[in-house]
Every structure is written in C-alpha cells, then in structure tokens.
C-alpha cells in the first residue's frame, strides 16, 4: 500500500503520529522538496530512497510509486500541508486506481491553521464570521469565475488565500471590488510555523505595498477578515450558564 502523508505546514513536530510512523518505516519517500521541511526526513529509520518531486514530472513520480509498490517496498508520498488542499493528489490516485494499487491518506495541518496558531486567532467568531473560505487567485491554474476572489469577497467572511503572493496587486483590487473595506485586517504569514516564520500585519488597502516592501515571493498565506483583529465579538453560547446541552443543564438565575 502506498501512503500519502500530509507533512503539515512546516514545523517538524506538527506532523501527525500516523504520518510520523509512515516516514519512520518507509523504504521509499517521494516528497515535495520545494515546500516540505526536509527535517521530516530525519524521522526515517530505514535508510529510505529519497526522491524530490519538485524536480520530477507526474509520470516520473508515478513511475517511482508504482515500481516501488510492485517491489513490495514501504512507499510514502509526502505532501506539504494537507494533501486535500491544493495537493494535486487526485491525478495520482487515479493512476494508482488504473494500476489496481492500494493507497491510503494521512491528513496534515494546512498552512491556514498553522497561521491561526501563530496569530492566536479564531477564524469563526460569533457576530464576526462563521465561515472560513480557502481559495487562491487565478493564475497558471485557473479558478472558476463563480469562485473568483471578487465573488467570494462579497461574503465578508474570513478568507485564507494561498498561492497568490506574486499576484498581490490584483489580489488587493479583487478584495476591494468584491466588498471588503480597505481597513479590513490582513495577516500575511510566510512559512507559517517554520523556524524562520514571518508575519506581516496590514490592511486590504495596503496589502500590495506590504508584499512589495517585504519582498514576499512565495510560501505565503493571506488571512483576510475582521476575525484576526476583532474589535468586538459575542462569546460562544456553548459555555453560557443559561444554555443547556446534552451534557449539562442550564443553571437557573438566582
């Protein structure tokens, strides 16, 4: 069985225990070398053969995975963050299905959630935002028009925008045209949770200037919305004394 593993957002110790065990036992590891923390490879105890997929085509990646599996080797495909978020794993799974090969998936911590921890933020604050939108600007990989930044911005929800650092001028314009106030808080998290993590706080109105001034080119996630710097919010009803749950009865007012 081939194991797709989410490496997490950066820090070596933010991988899941299951992911750690897969890396530890692997005979072959194909990892996204341009994005995955290489320190994760230190967990391997089997002197695995290591392949950097940033230097490979899809056909080359699949050749390694398929041949390794046919040889009975313990094979790990190590993706950045969580494989389900911009991981390009569907095309790989389809190839494995076509070859009648089994695989499983171990989730990982995506950059938006590593960023939330670093920002000490809650994205879903009552009376502020109850929705998190994870998306990207349209670039080499096109985004459906109905999912454009401008369209999604009309909700004024919390947004986590990936893979868009090189398009920051257009991103700022789309956010404003979509309905965000220019004073809406933005946090630009570069290499969230890595040792060399950098966080830049700005607003929608000076997002592009912040990117340019700090020479931000890649590995950045933009968190947009009032939830990252709320002026006011409602406390959760879950813990309110007058709120009953399956496990706790509401306390009567004395």
């Amino acid at each position: 069985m081939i194991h797709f593993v989410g490496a997490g957002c950066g820090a070596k110790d933010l991988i899941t225990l299951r992911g750690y065990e897969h890396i530890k036992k692997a005979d072959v590891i194909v990892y996204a070398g341009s994005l995955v923390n290489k320190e994760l490879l230190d967990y391997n105890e089997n002197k695995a053969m290591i392949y950097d997929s940033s230097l490979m085509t899809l056909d080359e990646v699949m050749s390694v995975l398929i041949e390794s599996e046919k040889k009975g080797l313990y094979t790990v495909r190590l993706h950045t963050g969580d494989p389900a978020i911009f991981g390009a794993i569907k095309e790989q799974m389809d190839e494995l299905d076509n070859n009648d090969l089994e695989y499983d998936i171990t989730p990982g911590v995506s950059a938006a959630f590593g960023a939330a921890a670093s920002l000490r933020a809650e994205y879903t604050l009552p009376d502020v935002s109850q929705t998190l939108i994870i998306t990207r600007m349209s670039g080499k990989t096109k985004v459906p028009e109905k999912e454009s930044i401008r369209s999604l911005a009309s909700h004024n929800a919390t947004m986590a925008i990936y893979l868009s650092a090189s398009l920051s001028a257009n991103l700022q314009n789309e956010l404003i045209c979509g309905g965000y106030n220019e004073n809406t808080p933005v946090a630009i998290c570069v290499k969230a949770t890595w040792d060399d993590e950098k966080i830049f706080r700005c607003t929608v109105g000076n997002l592009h200037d912040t990117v340019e001034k700090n020479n931000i080119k890649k590995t950045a996630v933009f968190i947009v919305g009032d939830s990252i710097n709320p002026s006011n919010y409602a406390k959760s009803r879950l813990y309110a004394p007058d709120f009953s749950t399956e496990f706790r009865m509401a306390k009567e007012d004395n």
Side-chain angles (χ1 to χ4, degrees):
M1 178 177 292
I2 293 167
H3 305 285
F4 289 91
V5 174
C9 45
K12 180 181 178 180
D13 58 351
L14 280 180
I15 194 165
T16 63
L17 287 174
R18 184 183 297 178
Y20 163 80
E21 288 293 334
H22 284 319
I23 294 173
K24 177 182 176 181
K25 299 173 184 177
D27 298 310
V28 176
I29 299 175
V30 182
Y31 81 110
S34 60
L35 296 169
V36 169
N37 187 344
K38 294 177 177 60
E39 292 181 2
L40 287 163
L41 302 177
D42 296 339
Y43 289 138
N44 180 254
E45 296 182 356
N46 218 16
K47 296 182 178 179
M49 293 178 285
I50 307 294
Y51 297 85
D52 182 350
S53 63
S54 67
L55 307 173
M56 304 166 72
T57 65
L58 174 61
D59 287 344
E60 290 168 339
V61 168
M62 297 314 303
S63 178
V64 170
L65 297 180
I66 291 169
E67 290 305 312
S68 298
E69 180 65 7
K70 288 181 177 179
K71 291 176 182 177
L73 300 176
Y74 200 116
T75 306
V76 169
R77 177 68 169 108
L78 188 60
H79 280 265
T80 186
D82 184 285
I85 305 294
F86 303 120
I89 62 167
K90 175 59 175 164
E91 58 206 48
Q92 299 174 68
M93 294 188 292
D94 286 347
E95 285 297 314
L96 296 177
D97 288 337
N98 291 337
N99 284 272
D100 295 321
L101 297 176
E102 294 187 356
Y103 53 87
D104 61 16
I105 302 170
T106 300
V109 179
S110 190
F113 305 111
S118 295
L119 294 169
R120 300 181 181 181
E122 180 182 347
Y123 294 150
T124 52
L125 283 173
D127 285 356
V128 178
S129 176
Q130 289 288 286
T131 300
L132 172 64
I133 298 172
I134 297 177
T135 189
R136 61 172 294 168
M137 281 285 288
S138 186
K140 291 181 180 179
T141 299
K142 299 302 179 183
V143 173
E145 182 61 33
K146 64 182 179 181
E147 296 179 14
S148 69
I149 296 291
R150 183 176 302 205
S151 175
L152 297 176
S154 65
H155 298 288
N156 268 226
T158 306
M159 292 183 73
I161 303 168
Y162 289 59
L163 303 167
S164 302
S166 64
L167 302 167
S168 59
N170 288 338
L171 173 59
Q172 176 177 315
N173 183 64
E174 290 298 290
L175 289 170
I176 293 171
C177 291
Y180 280 107
N181 186 292
E182 291 194 19
N183 293 321
T184 301
V186 176
I188 308 171
C189 301
V190 181
K191 300 187 75 173
T193 78
W194 291 66
D195 290 340
D196 55 347
E197 169 192 84
K198 293 181 180 179
I199 295 176
F200 304 94
R201 289 184 181 267
C202 58
T203 65
V204 168
N206 62 5
L207 183 156
H208 175 60
D209 285 345
T210 304
V211 169
E212 290 288 290
K213 178 181 178 181
N214 294 285
N215 197 33
I216 300 169
K217 301 294 185 183
K218 60 180 182 178
T219 58
V221 58
F222 297 82
I223 309 299
V224 181
D226 290 324
S227 64
I228 61 173
N229 188 25
S231 57
N232 195 19
Y233 65 92
K235 291 183 179 179
S236 170
R237 292 293 297 152
L238 180 61
Y239 302 107
D242 61 343
F243 187 79
S244 294
T245 73
E246 178 184 356
F247 306 99
R248 173 178 55 80
M249 292 299 295
K251 297 181 179 179
E252 293 187 11
D253 192 350
N254 291 329

